[in-house]
């Protein structure tokens, strides 16, 4: 099932006294797996989010297409994994025609001005995010939550991005307020880790 922008607008939770907090988890989801679900559930709890949107990318600019399933296949796979109403797999990047994170985030903020967005990434992405288009603008546009990944802590916390925004990092015990803080602001969450990856799943088939 695909969730168009109009449906997501209707789905935004009504929260008395504040704007809804929405987590954004982007990726190929090739395929979606319990590791994505693990991070999503942690994010909902640790960041005090009202909802979390999976942004199933039409094509990651940094990845090849040889073993990439179609967007519809990946979206249906993500949907089949979800139980409950707080996590929404979407094809918003296909709808917007955006291939780069900064463009997607900027469009989302324009389309949903009532929402407070938090961008979620793994430590593996933090370690190389400086190769992304206008990467520093991502930190300057939305709060960022970084989740621990196996074997990436040292590399991530010594990355160009971590050093550039070192003064804007908050303690993970303050993370429940992250969505309400003005960017640039980010946190590194040392949480229980999932060792499952989409690559390992594809290789096992």
């Amino acid at each position: 099932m695909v969730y168009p922008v109009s449906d997501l607008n209707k789905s935004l939770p009504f929260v008395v006294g504040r704007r809804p907090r929405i987590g954004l988890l982007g990726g190929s989801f090739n395929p979606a797996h319990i590791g994505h679900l693990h991070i999503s559930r942690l994010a909902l709890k640790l960041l005090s989010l009202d909802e979390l949107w999976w942004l199933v990318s039409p094509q990651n600019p940094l990845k090849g297409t040889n073993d990439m399933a179609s967007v519809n296949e990946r979206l249906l796979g993500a949907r089949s994994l979800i139980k409950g109403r707080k996590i929404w797999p979407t094809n918003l990047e296909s709808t917007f025609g955006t291939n780069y994170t900064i463009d997607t985030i900027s469009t989302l903020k324009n389309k949903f001005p009532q929402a407070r967005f938090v961008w979620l990434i793994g430590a593996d992405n933090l370690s190389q995010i400086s190769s992304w288009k206008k990467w520093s603008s991502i930190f300057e546009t939305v709060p960022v939550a970084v989740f621990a990944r196996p074997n990436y802590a040292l590399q991530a916390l010594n990355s160009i991005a971590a050093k550039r925004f070192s003064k804007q990092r908050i303690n993970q015990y303050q993370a429940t307020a992250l969505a309400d803080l003005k960017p640039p602001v980010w946190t590194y969450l040392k949480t229980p880790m999932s060792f499952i990856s989409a690559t390992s799943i594809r290789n096992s088939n």
Side-chain angles (χ1 to χ4, degrees):
M1 183 176 181
V2 176
Y3 297 109
V5 173
S6 57
D7 283 355
L8 286 170
N9 260 317
K10 294 174 185 175
S11 84
L12 284 177
F14 177 76
V15 184
V16 177
R18 63 173 173 80
R19 292 153 57 191
R21 299 168 176 153
I22 311 295
L24 301 172
L25 182 63
S28 300
F29 295 91
N30 187 42
H33 53 76
I34 60 173
H36 296 123
L37 203 54
H38 172 72
I39 286 179
S40 299
R41 287 169 173 165
L42 285 172
L44 285 167
K45 179 180 179 180
L46 298 177
L47 304 176
S48 248
L49 301 176
D50 299 298
E51 287 187 355
L52 198 146
W53 298 354
W54 287 4
L55 306 176
V56 180
S57 172
Q59 175 56 47
N60 186 324
L62 300 179
K63 293 184 178 180
T65 60
N66 289 341
D67 58 353
M68 187 71 69
S70 70
V71 175
N72 285 340
E73 287 179 288
R74 290 181 278 126
L75 191 61
L76 288 172
R79 179 58 186 165
S80 68
L81 191 66
I82 298 303
K83 307 294 182 186
R85 293 282 299 174
K86 286 196 171 185
I87 302 173
W88 295 71
T90 78
N91 67 339
L92 288 175
E93 290 193 317
S94 295
T95 301
F96 298 154
T98 54
N99 291 321
Y100 296 96
T101 296
I102 184 57
D103 297 329
T104 299
I105 290 174
S106 297
T107 303
L108 282 167
K109 286 177 68 68
N110 287 331
K111 294 284 186 181
F112 303 98
Q114 70 274 47
R116 290 187 181 272
F117 291 113
V118 178
W119 185 255
L120 314 179
I121 59 172
D124 53 330
N125 278 326
L126 179 64
S127 66
Q128 51 84 48
I129 198 172
S130 57
S131 65
W132 295 16
K133 177 186 175 182
K134 296 182 180 179
W135 68 272
S136 60
S137 294
I138 298 172
F139 283 82
E140 293 163 353
T141 303
V142 289
V144 177
V146 182
F147 286 80
R149 288 290 304 275
N151 306 316
Y152 276 99
L154 185 62
Q155 185 178 347
L157 293 175
N158 284 283
S159 66
I160 293 173
K163 290 180 178 179
R164 172 79 63 86
F165 291 101
S166 60
K167 293 182 179 179
Q168 286 76 39
R169 179 184 172 189
I170 64 170
N171 190 291
Q172 76 173 76
Y173 300 108
Q174 300 172 291
T176 54
L178 184 67
D180 298 320
L181 299 178
K182 183 179 179 180
V185 61
W186 67 285
T187 190
Y188 185 91
L189 300 169
K190 299 176 182 177
T191 58
M193 292 178 276
S194 170
F195 286 79
I196 295 175
S197 70
T199 301
S200 65
I201 292 174
R202 292 196 304 273
N203 291 339
S204 67
N205 292 332

